[in-house]
Amino acid sequence: MRKLSSSLILLLFTQCAFAQFTITGKVKNTFCNIYISEINKTIVSDTFGNFTFNHIPKGNYTIEIRSIGFQTKLFELSVPIKKSSAKISDISIIQNGETISFETNLEPIKIEMKEVVVSGIKNSMAESSSLNIDVADINQMREKGELTVMETLASKQGISLISTGPGIARPVIRGLSGNRIVSVINGIKLENQQWDMEHTLGLNQYGIDRVEIIKGAATVLYGSDAMGGVLNFIDEKPAAINTTEADISGGFNSNTFGTVSEVGVKSAKEHVNWSVRVGLNNHSDYYDANFDRVANSRFRELLGKATLGLNYKKSVTLFSYQMNLGYYGIVEPFEKNNPAETEDHPMEFETPYHTLLHQTILIKNTLLLGNTKLISTASYQYNQRMELEPGNIETNPFLGFDLNVATIDIKADHHFNENVSLILGTSGTFTDNSNFGYSNLIPDYNQLDISAYALNSIKLINQKLSIDLGVRYDHRNINSILSGIKDSANYMPSITKNYDNVSASAGFNYQIIKKYYLFANAGSGYRAPNMAELTSNGIRLETQRYEIGNTAFLKETNLMGEIGIKMMHDNIDMEGSYFYNYIQNYIYISRTNDSISAKPVYRFNQADATINGGEVKFDIHPTSLNGFDFITSYSALIGQQMNGNFLPLMPQNKIANEFILRGKVFERFDNTFLRLGYNFVFEQNTVAQNELKTPAYNIVNLSAGGDIKILKQKVIFSLGVNNLLNEKYYDHLSRLRQYGVYNIGLNAFVNVKVPLVWQTR
């Protein structure tokens, strides 16, 4: 009898542990796409809005429903549901055995869908997050004809670029840049020598659905360096089950005589999905508004990417490989009118130029264990950067870096109920950098990072109030190898440094009434000094200056607070926020009165500082004017040391305006649009000592496009002109500003995309 009882108990446990459910649904008013992030599956409904997900294990899932012209719907679903029937917002849910069914409607919208965001805590709609998160849509990048994904980010309020021409650009979030911002791809932190402003991130738009911009201290979520914010690059979703999708894209830009091309294929079955994508972004030197060519501002970027997803019972696994190869000319303004360069649009690379090779291999596994998800992510990154000067070849560059990075992150995400969840995690990163060029900017070194973190999310008052709490511990150990001869140029001593830090964050979002949200957050962050700040001692050829670091630098820490409001209405959306950021031991570089080898000396320094400012945005879309949208935003900040001196490289305040008109204009065209943008950028007079002031400027952009069927094949196109009035201007954060080199002039563009879909049942 005891054996029989034990067998029955074991059988019951086995059935519960491996029970598979079916989720069926109906969106009553439209055809749509339905995505479940936890299992990385997409389903396309039939024309009546019906859909079915099979083989769903017990757990908690985020259901995302999208359809063009309708508001995205996002909700959490417990499988099995707690009762035989339940109601979430306006969604009625019924369970019959192992089948869960629901029906819902999507709300029509006039212009653009509100975005779903992944904050590191949970999936949510942007307006209901306690963090200030903006979203850059890659589809809008094609519509607006921006040359790089960095330009797309800079179109958002509070975001700017430190640039050396169009190809080399680094994002600035509310005045902070470089190692104070973390870039995340597939959940892992990008490591690619981002300590140097001359180094571009080497990231592009290929295979990306959108980029989420987290503004403010996010160290609790992402560790050291995230004290200014995070760029979270979100991959495109897999193909719908039993479907193969492909797309071919191409584009041309008149100013740089540049071409953009991309080919991608992806396919999915019930338990397997895969994708392959390649892309090329190739541009010659740009011309300013005086029609002067900025010699050697050319750049070329190549991407190759492949993914494989496996989904079986309680396990979801993603394998990913990505390769970015880039060539970036180094602008030498004193040679910009070199008579030896007679070609109008040279494409070949001549010294000096940078090369960048970055490869990433990633394995991510999610175990669905009822109310708990166990997520482990392991990655290996290889980054090789080279600088070639006249007389160098790639096998013997002037500067060369080999960076090897291994990462591991393990976290458990447990839902106690629909209102309380907790994430506990630990992560580790090992970094090894070695030089192989003629000269060294930083020494050979290795670095070990270890961390542990906890993130708690609570919903109260009928889920109208969301509270997010987090704490994190980080340890970093750095060891470098002696380089050079003592008391001479390029001498860098061996160092051993240990940095420890505890970070915390708290935030809330409260739905005051329907579609009105109040949010606030406060967080602490930290950043360990990078190797350039600690050990620099030599001439930088691209900037023609002598830079000196300081091995005694302390870690940077900051405390940032923000409060804001978001309002969604039938005719107008509004959001506004104010932030204050206090930074202790802020590291900056400034010019001295000394010179070495006839080069001006720049020293890294530390001082306490503050950056504070605000952003406001209005989106006006009257219901009486179907398809019309007017978006205007204003962003401003000021950065100062505690002694009153201004911080260097603080972005200009700006007003951005955009008129958008969407609708069916001609019989053969669908989804037609017209965009007219006008940006006014204020003068920058609050500058650091020895920093140039920058006058105000205006930029006008115009684009149009839509969908057309050619031989029954859908073709998506856009064309337009950026800097329509050919404004002659400097951007304050352009590193060519000090040489009197203007930003890019008028640029006409055309982009075309052909999507293909096959059923593979």
Side-chain angles (χ1 to χ4, degrees):
M1 179 62 71
R2 181 176 299 173
K3 291 184 178 180
L4 178 59
S5 299
S6 299
S7 299
L8 289 173
I9 293 172
L10 179 61
L11 178 61
L12 179 61
F13 171 79
T14 303
Q15 288 177 335
C16 292
F18 295 99
Q20 301 283 296
F21 293 83
T22 298
I23 299 176
T24 67
K26 179 180 178 65
V27 178
K28 293 182 285 187
N29 59 338
T30 182
F31 163 89
C32 57
N33 286 0
I34 306 92
Y35 176 66
I36 302 180
S37 59
E38 287 80 2
I39 58 175
N40 198 32
K41 280 187 178 181
T42 300
I43 285 285
V44 178
S45 74
D46 62 23
T47 55
F48 301 103
N50 298 300
F51 60 89
T52 300
F53 283 94
N54 295 311
H55 310 295
I56 306 297
K58 179 182 177 182
N60 295 276
Y61 299 95
T62 304
I63 312 295
E64 179 183 332
I65 306 175
R66 287 178 176 262
S67 183
I68 295 175
F70 294 84
Q71 172 65 57
T72 297
K73 179 161 286 187
L74 187 79
F75 65 95
E76 294 182 0
L77 179 66
S78 296
V79 176
I81 63 175
K82 306 303 181 184
K83 301 177 182 179
S84 61
S85 63
K87 190 174 181 65
I88 300 176
S89 184
D90 61 339
I91 304 170
S92 297
I93 305 171
I94 298 174
Q95 179 171 339
N96 184 6
E98 294 181 353
T99 299
I100 298 172
S101 304
F102 66 86
E103 290 188 352
T104 188
N105 287 313
L106 294 186
E107 180 182 348
I109 58 174
K110 297 298 182 183
I111 300 294
E112 297 175 357
M113 294 181 293
K114 304 301 177 185
E115 290 292 345
V116 175
V117 299
V118 181
S119 67
I121 300 174
K122 58 184 181 300
N123 293 342
S124 66
M125 302 302 292
E127 65 268 16
S128 60
S129 174
S130 64
L131 298 170
N132 192 325
I133 305 179
D134 211 339
V135 179
D137 190 334
I138 298 303
N139 290 326
Q140 290 187 26
M141 174 183 173
R142 298 187 183 98
E143 287 188 1
K144 297 163 74 172
E146 288 147 340
L147 294 181
T148 66
V149 70
M150 292 297 140
E151 284 188 29
T152 303
L153 299 179
S155 67
K156 299 298 181 179
Q157 56 181 358
I159 314 300
S160 305
L161 294 179
I162 293 178
S163 65
T164 314
I168 300 176
R170 304 295 301 272
V172 179
I173 301 179
R174 291 177 169 175
L176 296 179
S177 59
N179 279 104
R180 299 178 181 94
I181 294 175
V182 165
S183 297
V184 176
I185 306 174
N186 272 330
I188 64 167
K189 180 179 173 182
L190 177 70
E191 297 283 0
N192 67 348
Q193 307 280 16
Q194 55 265 53
W195 49 268
D196 191 350
M197 286 189 294
E198 187 66 26
H199 291 168
T200 184
L201 288 181
L203 298 175
N204 49 54
Q205 70 274 19
Y206 302 123
I208 298 295
D209 177 65
R210 65 192 187 277
V211 184
E212 296 171 0
I213 306 162
I214 303 176
K215 304 174 187 177
T219 298
V220 167
L221 302 178
Y222 298 102
S224 175
D225 302 348
M227 59 189 299
V230 172
L231 301 178
N232 191 9
F233 288 75
I234 307 296
D235 274 357
E236 61 184 334
K237 293 181 175 62
I241 293 174
N242 297 322
T243 299
T244 296
E245 302 176 16
D247 60 84
I248 303 171
S249 301
F252 176 76
N253 294 271
S254 66
N255 186 293
T256 61
F257 219 68
T259 58
V260 180
S261 53
E262 179 181 8
V263 178
V265 181
K266 57 184 180 179
S267 184
K269 293 288 189 180
E270 186 68 44
H271 299 293
V272 179
N273 64 76
W274 59 267
S275 69
V276 177
R277 186 167 293 275
V278 295
L280 176 65
N281 202 8
N282 192 30
H283 296 267
S284 181
D285 300 336
Y286 81 86
Y287 284 78
D288 65 19
N290 289 326
F291 300 101
D292 290 329
R293 181 166 60 82
V294 180
N296 223 15
S297 59
R298 67 204 70 170
F299 68 98
R300 180 183 302 146
E301 296 176 323
L302 175 68
L303 171 128
K305 185 175 184 178
T307 67
L308 173 65
L310 303 177
N311 189 318
Y312 186 70
K313 291 184 178 179
K314 292 178 172 291
S315 177
V316 180
T317 305
L318 172 68
F319 300 91
S320 174
Y321 169 77
Q322 181 166 324
M323 182 277 293
N324 294 79
L325 176 62
Y327 296 84
Y328 306 92
I330 298 175
V331 177
E332 295 185 326
F334 48 87
E335 295 186 353
K336 70 175 183 177
N337 295 317
N338 186 352
E341 187 74 85
T342 58
E343 192 176 354
D344 287 336
H345 300 286
M347 290 292 183
E348 71 279 4
F349 282 83
E350 300 174 354
T351 54
Y353 65 91
H354 291 294
T355 70
L356 163 64
L357 172 64
H358 190 87
Q359 300 182 79
T360 302
I361 300 173
L362 175 141
I363 303 175
K364 181 177 182 178
N365 180 260
T366 302
L367 289 176
L368 303 172
L369 306 173
N371 293 329
T372 302
K373 290 181 295 185
L374 185 62
I375 305 168
S376 59
T377 306
S379 75
Y380 167 72
Q381 300 177 60
Y382 171 70
N383 181 275
Q384 184 185 81
R385 286 187 183 266
M386 292 186 290
E387 179 180 325
L388 287 89
E389 295 290 332
N392 294 136
I393 57 177
E394 292 193 5
T395 55
N396 184 29
F398 181 76
L399 293 171
F401 308 96
D402 272 334
L403 182 68
N404 294 272
V405 183
T407 71
I408 182 71
D409 181 85
I410 301 173
K411 59 186 175 185
D413 182 353
H414 180 74
H415 285 246
F416 295 94
N417 52 53
E418 64 270 20
N419 294 321
V420 181
S421 63
L422 176 66
I423 296 175
L424 296 175
T426 183
S427 62
T429 302
F430 179 76
T431 303
D432 181 79
N433 180 78
S434 59
N435 294 276
F436 62 91
Y438 171 79
S439 182
N440 294 350
L441 289 181
I442 58 174
D444 295 352
Y445 75 95
N446 60 66
Q447 177 178 297
L448 177 65
D449 291 274
I450 300 173
S451 66
Y453 55 91
L455 302 167
N456 186 214
S457 180
I458 304 169
K459 294 180 181 179
L460 302 171
I461 314 177
N462 295 323
Q463 299 190 339
K464 291 182 179 181
L465 175 63
S466 297
I467 300 174
D468 299 316
L469 304 170
V471 63
R472 183 184 183 108
Y473 167 75
D474 285 280
H475 170 77
R476 171 170 290 184
N477 170 262
I478 303 175
N479 294 281
S480 72
I481 299 174
L482 182 147
S483 177
I485 301 173
K486 190 174 183 179
D487 298 325
S488 65
N490 295 318
Y491 170 72
M492 291 172 279
S494 62
I495 61 172
T496 297
K497 293 283 186 179
N498 289 285
Y499 299 95
D500 295 273
N501 193 75
V502 176
S503 307
S505 67
F508 76 86
N509 183 295
Y510 179 60
Q511 184 178 341
I512 306 168
I513 57 176
K514 187 176 181 181
K515 299 185 179 180
Y516 287 74
Y517 299 85
L518 176 68
F519 73 95
N521 58 74
S524 60
Y526 108 102
R527 181 181 77 91
N530 62 49
M531 293 305 298
E533 295 163 341
L534 290 169
T535 64
S536 287
N537 184 29
I539 296 173
R540 298 293 304 272
L541 291 183
E542 67 270 19
T543 56
Q544 292 295 299
R545 66 192 194 189
Y546 196 104
E547 295 185 1
I548 300 176
N550 188 337
T551 58
F553 276 158
L554 303 174
K555 66 181 180 182
E556 285 184 355
T557 58
N558 75 320
L559 180 62
M560 180 173 174
E562 179 179 12
I563 187 169
I565 189 169
K566 299 180 182 181
M567 177 193 75
M568 273 61 65
H569 193 270
D570 291 342
N571 294 289
I572 184 171
D573 296 350
M574 187 277 287
E575 57 185 79
S577 65
Y578 170 79
F579 68 90
Y580 184 88
N581 196 355
Y582 169 70
I583 309 168
Q584 191 174 32
N585 302 319
Y586 182 84
I587 299 174
Y588 64 98
I589 191 169
S590 61
R591 183 172 179 171
T592 70
N593 295 321
D594 300 326
S595 63
I596 297 178
S597 301
K599 305 297 181 186
V601 172
Y602 283 71
R603 286 186 179 273
F604 288 97
N605 301 286
Q606 275 196 320
D608 293 350
T610 64
I611 301 176
N612 67 94
E615 298 150 10
V616 63
K617 176 181 176 182
F618 292 91
D619 185 344
I620 303 170
H621 42 80
T623 55
S624 58
L625 297 176
N626 188 26
F628 173 81
D629 197 16
F630 171 59
I631 304 171
T632 182
S633 65
Y634 171 68
S635 55
L637 61 80
I638 187 168
Q640 292 180 282
Q641 298 180 39
M642 299 305 289
N643 62 10
N645 292 337
F646 295 110
L647 294 177
L649 291 176
M650 289 293 107
Q652 295 158 274
N653 301 338
K654 64 182 179 181
I655 297 176
N657 304 285
E658 190 168 27
F659 297 87
I660 307 171
L661 186 63
R662 295 187 184 273
K664 190 174 180 66
V665 180
F666 302 105
E667 184 62 30
R668 292 187 60 193
F669 292 86
D670 293 319
N671 301 318
T672 53
F673 72 89
L674 176 69
R675 286 180 177 267
L676 175 62
Y678 169 67
N679 298 331
F680 177 74
V681 182
F682 292 83
E683 63 185 359
Q684 180 58 289
N685 293 323
T686 55
V687 297
Q689 187 177 7
N690 297 321
E691 186 179 20
L692 292 172
K693 296 180 180 180
T694 301
Y697 62 88
N698 305 270
I699 298 293
V700 177
N701 303 317
L702 178 66
S703 64
D707 305 348
I708 185 173
K709 284 193 175 181
I710 301 176
L711 300 178
K712 298 184 179 181
Q713 173 58 53
K714 179 180 177 180
V715 177
I716 304 170
F717 74 95
S718 60
L719 51 88
V721 181
N722 290 325
N723 196 359
L724 180 64
L725 303 182
N726 201 31
E727 175 88 349
K728 182 170 61 177
Y729 73 99
Y730 303 110
D731 187 87
H732 186 68
L733 298 189
S734 169
R735 300 184 72 242
L736 302 178
R737 164 76 178 98
Q738 61 183 315
Y739 304 115
V741 176
Y742 291 108
N743 284 68
I744 190 169
L746 181 149
N747 178 48
F749 70 89
V750 59
N751 290 314
V752 177
K753 179 178 180 179
V754 181
L756 306 168
V757 180
W758 300 276
Q759 295 297 318
T760 56
R761 295 183 185 277

